[in-house]
Amino acid sequence: PTSGQLVYNTDLSQFQYYNGAAWVSLAYGLGVPQTVKVTVSSAELLALATTPKDLIAAQGAGLAIDINRYSIKLTYGTTAYDFGALLGINFESDLTTNYILASISASTMNSANTVSGSASPSSIGSQDRLKANEKLQLTTASNPTTGDGVLTIWLTYTTIVL
């Protein structure tokens, strides 16, 4: 087969393309923006440095998540958080290199009020890079010791072929 050739696989009931080495299935929604809503509980926020929160699952071999926009809402409970560092939205392999695709400031997370905000690609950062078959996670450098609010994150993304 020729690299880039597209076929319909009747055994799998899906379209596939040849990437020069193997047949790859086209994922549902490929290239179409999708929005996910993720709720992060107080217990998850209090353990975030220890246990990162999965936001978007890995899309498969040769596929990457391209973030278009994200929005957040921190719903204040009865006690403000005391995060000492920002929260980062990272690809899994970037958790150890401190590369942050997008961030939520500690002052936002430590607010004693319900707060919200959003960002578009122009404010996410020029170092934006794509990672094949990696999940997107929320993490921080150190766990807070107090706080009981709930964080909601909406992520609009596109799955692309690398």
Side-chain angles (χ1 to χ4, degrees):
T2 304
S3 184
Q5 184 176 351
L6 182 67
V7 299
Y8 184 77
N9 185 324
T10 56
D11 293 334
L12 299 175
S13 297
Q14 57 188 241
F15 285 99
Q16 294 184 308
Y17 71 95
Y18 191 72
N19 68 4
W23 289 100
V24 179
S25 294
L26 292 177
Y28 171 77
L30 191 65
V32 178
Q34 302 174 65
T35 301
V36 295
K37 176 183 174 184
V38 180
T39 302
V40 188
S41 71
S42 176
E44 291 171 316
L45 287 168
L46 290 169
L48 199 57
T50 310
T51 309
K53 173 72 174 178
D54 291 348
L55 301 175
I56 301 174
Q59 302 297 292
L63 302 175
I65 300 164
D66 186 16
I67 299 295
N68 305 118
R69 181 173 187 76
Y70 73 99
S71 300
I72 64 151
K73 179 180 180 185
L74 175 66
T75 303
Y76 177 71
T78 58
T79 306
Y81 286 101
D82 62 348
F83 279 96
L86 57 77
L87 277 68
I89 297 174
N90 316 53
F91 286 108
E92 184 177 23
S93 68
D94 290 325
L95 298 181
T96 57
T97 62
N98 296 321
Y99 176 79
I100 297 173
L101 180 64
S103 65
I104 304 166
S105 71
S107 61
T108 295
M109 290 304 299
N110 296 339
S111 176
N113 298 297
T114 295
V115 294
S116 61
S118 61
S120 60
S122 61
S123 57
I124 288 176
S126 60
Q127 296 179 24
D128 184 18
R129 57 185 175 183
L130 302 170
K131 299 284 188 156
N133 198 25
E134 285 204 28
K135 60 185 168 183
L136 203 62
Q137 296 181 307
L138 179 68
T139 191
T140 190
S142 60
N143 289 325
T145 58
T146 63
D148 64 355
V150 174
L151 178 65
T152 306
I153 303 173
W154 293 267
L155 290 152
T156 301
Y157 68 98
T158 305
T159 300
I160 61 173
V161 177
L162 292 180

